[in-house]
Amino acid sequence: FQTWCFVDAKSCKMISEEDVYKSYYFSPEYDVFYSYSTCNTTDYFWKQQLESLATNASVVGGISITVTVPRDDDETLNKKWPDGTILTPRETEDNYFDDTIPFGGIYIDYMNYIVKLSKGDIRNVTYTHTSKGSLNRYKSGSRFTAAVRDVQNGLVDMAVGDFWVTGERLKMTSFTVPIGE
């Protein structure tokens, strides 16, 4: 049990080096605040408990995700030879559907970093090409819309890349908050 006191938040914000908390025990219309340090204790115990919950919480249950990668030929999305060199546009065209040649680029790096941060909550990400059926459907349009179509059709769990969020694509699936402009 940690000792705490109700406090004047304005005063504590200036004096206390520890957090001051709004109490939600009473009706939200009341501005009632409490602090641990005012009563010569700390909130260390509760912070420790919260950190433990946050680091041990499973959000998605150790899932594996299949991700489609639209064909691109630059540093954002590409395919790489085993020595790390990026395939040329012609090589990419010939080898895009070969999933043994790994995808690379900043969006793949970003996804791999998210997997690392998840500490096992996301167990594995498998990167794959967009289906020929979706690419054929949108051959006069966008290969990115074709990738979104694969998500809509349940062939993959998500698509990764620098997607524009369009009305047509929003009708197919939901999007995360954009990470860039």
Side-chain angles (χ1 to χ4, degrees):
F1 177 75
Q2 296 295 116
T3 307
W4 55 270
C5 300
F6 288 113
V7 295
D8 175 11
K10 289 179 187 175
S11 297
C12 277
K13 283 174 38 180
M14 293 186 293
I15 298 167
S16 178
E17 292 184 14
E18 296 214 24
D19 291 326
V20 173
Y21 305 92
K22 181 171 182 162
S23 174
Y24 292 98
Y25 180 77
F26 302 101
S27 174
E29 65 197 47
Y30 298 112
D31 283 333
V32 178
F33 296 86
Y34 63 97
S35 169
Y36 294 96
S37 60
T38 304
C39 295
N40 297 320
T41 64
T42 69
D43 59 356
Y44 176 77
F45 172 79
W46 296 112
K47 284 184 178 176
Q48 217 176 17
Q49 297 303 310
L50 289 173
E51 284 176 17
S52 175
L53 288 172
T55 56
N56 297 324
S58 175
V59 177
V60 292
I63 63 170
S64 293
I65 300 171
T66 303
V67 177
T68 186
V69 182
R71 190 178 67 108
D72 221 341
D73 307 315
D74 61 20
E75 68 279 350
T76 61
L77 293 172
N78 52 59
K79 292 202 108 182
K80 293 184 175 184
W81 292 117
D83 67 1
T85 58
I86 297 173
L87 276 66
T88 65
R90 176 67 187 152
E91 291 171 328
T92 299
E93 188 176 317
D94 292 342
N95 294 288
Y96 174 69
F97 294 99
D98 183 351
D99 283 342
T100 64
I101 301 172
F103 287 95
I106 60 173
Y107 290 104
I108 304 301
D109 294 344
Y110 181 75
M111 278 298 303
N112 291 337
Y113 187 67
I114 290 172
V115 171
K116 182 180 172 184
L117 286 176
S118 82
K119 297 179 180 177
D121 204 24
I122 301 172
R123 196 169 358 136
N124 181 51
V125 175
T126 303
Y127 300 99
T128 188
H129 58 273
T130 304
S131 72
K132 287 185 178 182
S134 291
L135 288 168
N136 186 48
R137 182 182 182 106
Y138 294 100
K139 64 182 157 193
S140 61
S142 167
R143 60 186 177 267
F144 287 87
T145 303
V148 173
R149 175 77 176 183
D150 278 359
V151 175
Q152 178 187 31
N153 289 344
L155 297 175
V156 294
D157 300 304
M158 65 183 286
V160 66
D162 50 349
F163 287 82
W164 290 359
V165 181
T166 66
E168 178 183 21
R169 293 174 186 166
L170 277 172
K171 289 178 185 174
M172 295 180 190
T173 193
S174 56
F175 282 75
T176 63
V177 175
I179 58 172
E181 293 181 28

